[in-house]
Amino acid sequence: MKKNFILILLSVFVLFFSFNVFAQKIVLKTSLQNSIPKYFEVEEGGKKVFTGICIDIMKAIEEIDSTIEFSYEKSFIPFARIARDLEMGDIDVFFGMVWNEER
Protein backbone atom coordinates (compact mmCIF):
# COMPACT_ATOMS: atom_id res chain seq x y z
CA MET A 1 0.00 0.00 0.00
CA LYS A 2 2.77 2.41 0.97
CA LYS A 3 4.64 1.54 -2.23
CA ASN A 4 1.56 2.35 -4.37
CA PHE A 5 1.07 5.66 -2.56
CA ILE A 6 4.68 6.67 -3.20
CA LEU A 7 4.35 5.63 -6.85
CA ILE A 8 1.16 7.69 -7.28
CA LEU A 9 2.70 10.67 -5.50
CA LEU A 10 5.79 10.46 -7.69
CA SER A 11 3.62 10.22 -10.84
CA VAL A 12 1.62 13.30 -9.82
CA PHE A 13 4.85 15.21 -9.14
CA VAL A 14 6.31 14.27 -12.54
CA LEU A 15 3.06 15.22 -14.30
CA PHE A 16 2.88 18.57 -12.48
CA PHE A 17 6.52 19.34 -13.24
CA SER A 18 6.17 18.46 -16.94
CA PHE A 19 3.18 20.80 -17.36
CA ASN A 20 5.17 23.68 -15.87
CA VAL A 21 8.08 23.06 -18.23
CA PHE A 22 5.93 22.92 -21.35
CA ALA A 23 3.58 25.77 -20.40
CA GLN A 24 6.23 28.48 -20.74
CA LYS A 25 5.53 31.11 -23.38
CA ILE A 26 7.42 31.21 -26.64
CA VAL A 27 7.95 34.84 -27.62
CA LEU A 28 8.56 35.32 -31.33
CA LYS A 29 10.02 38.65 -32.45
CA THR A 30 8.57 40.12 -35.64
CA SER A 31 8.40 43.47 -37.42
CA LEU A 32 5.71 45.57 -39.06
CA GLN A 33 5.83 46.88 -42.62
CA ASN A 34 3.68 49.81 -43.75
CA SER A 35 1.66 47.96 -46.39
CA ILE A 36 -2.13 48.02 -46.42
CA PRO A 37 -3.98 45.61 -45.94
CA LYS A 38 -1.23 43.55 -44.25
CA TYR A 39 -0.26 46.20 -41.71
CA PHE A 40 -1.52 49.71 -41.13
CA GLU A 41 -1.90 52.24 -38.35
CA VAL A 42 -5.14 53.69 -37.00
CA GLU A 43 -5.95 55.94 -34.08
CA GLU A 44 -8.28 54.63 -31.39
CA GLY A 45 -9.05 56.71 -28.35
CA GLY A 46 -6.10 59.01 -29.03
CA LYS A 47 -3.68 56.08 -29.18
CA LYS A 48 -1.72 54.74 -32.16
CA VAL A 49 -2.83 51.16 -32.86
CA PHE A 50 -1.49 48.76 -35.48
CA THR A 51 -3.92 46.51 -37.31
CA GLY A 52 -4.30 44.59 -40.55
CA ILE A 53 -4.58 41.04 -41.85
CA CYS A 54 -1.18 39.97 -40.51
CA ILE A 55 -1.91 41.41 -37.05
CA ASP A 56 -5.20 39.46 -37.10
CA ILE A 57 -3.31 36.26 -38.01
CA MET A 58 -0.89 36.79 -35.10
CA LYS A 59 -3.78 37.37 -32.68
CA ALA A 60 -5.56 34.23 -33.94
CA ILE A 61 -2.41 32.13 -33.44
CA GLU A 62 -2.03 33.52 -29.89
CA GLU A 63 -5.67 32.64 -29.16
CA ILE A 64 -5.30 29.08 -30.51
CA ASP A 65 -2.01 28.42 -28.68
CA SER A 66 -1.59 30.42 -25.48
CA THR A 67 2.10 29.46 -25.27
CA ILE A 68 2.90 31.57 -28.37
CA GLU A 69 3.24 35.34 -28.15
CA PHE A 70 4.36 37.80 -30.83
CA SER A 71 6.51 40.78 -29.94
CA TYR A 72 7.20 43.78 -32.18
CA GLU A 73 8.31 47.39 -32.09
CA LYS A 74 5.47 49.89 -32.24
CA SER A 75 6.71 51.36 -35.53
CA PHE A 76 7.00 50.43 -39.18
CA ILE A 77 10.29 49.02 -40.48
CA PRO A 78 11.48 49.28 -44.11
CA PHE A 79 11.24 45.96 -45.95
CA ALA A 80 14.99 45.78 -46.68
CA ARG A 81 15.70 45.91 -42.93
CA ILE A 82 13.04 43.27 -42.23
CA ALA A 83 14.65 40.93 -44.77
CA ARG A 84 18.09 41.56 -43.27
CA ASP A 85 16.79 41.06 -39.71
CA LEU A 86 15.28 37.71 -40.74
CA GLU A 87 18.57 36.61 -42.30
CA MET A 88 20.60 37.72 -39.27
CA GLY A 89 18.18 36.14 -36.79
CA ASP A 90 17.24 39.47 -35.19
CA ILE A 91 13.57 38.65 -35.76
CA ASP A 92 12.06 35.18 -35.73
CA VAL A 93 9.18 35.48 -38.16
CA PHE A 94 7.56 37.92 -40.60
CA PHE A 95 4.01 37.67 -41.90
CA GLY A 96 3.11 38.81 -45.40
CA MET A 97 6.35 38.34 -47.33
CA VAL A 98 5.68 37.71 -51.01
CA TRP A 99 7.20 34.55 -52.45
CA ASN A 100 9.73 34.95 -55.27
CA GLU A 101 12.68 32.97 -56.62
CA GLU A 102 15.21 34.79 -54.43
CA ARG A 103 13.35 33.96 -51.21
Side-chain angles (χ1 to χ4, degrees), residues 1-8:
M1 180 76 171
K2 186 176 180 182
K3 191 175 183 180
N4 287 341
F5 177 76
I6 292 173
L7 186 60
I8 291 171

Coordinates of all heavy atoms in Angstrom, one line a residue, residues 1-8:
M1 N 0.8 -1.2 0.0 CA 0.0 0.0 0.0 C 0.9 1.3 0.0 O 0.6 2.2 -0.8 CB -0.9 -0.1 1.2 CG -1.8 1.1 1.3 SD -3.2 1.0 0.1 CE -4.2 2.3 0.6
K2 N 1.9 1.3 0.9 CA 2.8 2.4 1.0 C 3.5 2.6 -0.3 O 3.7 3.7 -0.8 CB 3.7 2.2 2.1 CG 4.6 3.4 2.4 CD 5.5 3.2 3.6 CE 6.3 4.5 3.8 NZ 7.2 4.3 5.0
K3 N 3.9 1.5 -1.0 CA 4.6 1.5 -2.2 C 3.8 2.2 -3.3 O 4.2 3.0 -4.1 CB 5.1 0.1 -2.6 CG 6.0 0.1 -3.8 CD 6.5 -1.3 -4.0 CE 7.5 -1.4 -5.1 NZ 8.0 -2.8 -5.3
N4 N 2.5 1.8 -3.4 CA 1.6 2.3 -4.4 C 1.4 3.8 -4.1 O 1.3 4.6 -5.1 CB 0.2 1.6 -4.3 CG 0.3 0.3 -4.9 OD1 1.2 -0.1 -5.7 ND2 -0.7 -0.6 -4.6
F5 N 1.2 4.2 -2.9 CA 1.1 5.7 -2.6 C 2.3 6.5 -3.0 O 2.1 7.5 -3.6 CB 0.9 5.8 -1.0 CG 0.7 7.3 -0.6 CD1 -0.4 8.0 -0.9 CD2 1.8 7.9 0.0 CE1 -0.5 9.3 -0.5 CE2 1.7 9.3 0.3 CZ 0.5 9.9 0.1
I6 N 3.5 6.0 -2.8 CA 4.7 6.7 -3.2 C 4.7 6.7 -4.7 O 5.1 7.8 -5.3 CB 5.9 6.0 -2.6 CG1 6.0 6.2 -1.1 CG2 7.2 6.5 -3.3 CD1 7.0 5.4 -0.4
L7 N 4.4 5.7 -5.4 CA 4.3 5.6 -6.9 C 3.4 6.6 -7.4 O 3.7 7.4 -8.4 CB 4.0 4.2 -7.4 CG 4.1 4.0 -8.9 CD1 5.5 4.3 -9.4 CD2 3.7 2.6 -9.2
I8 N 2.2 6.7 -6.8 CA 1.2 7.7 -7.3 C 1.6 9.1 -7.0 O 1.5 10.0 -7.9 CB -0.2 7.4 -6.6 CG1 -0.8 6.1 -7.1 CG2 -1.2 8.6 -6.8 CD1 -2.0 5.6 -6.3

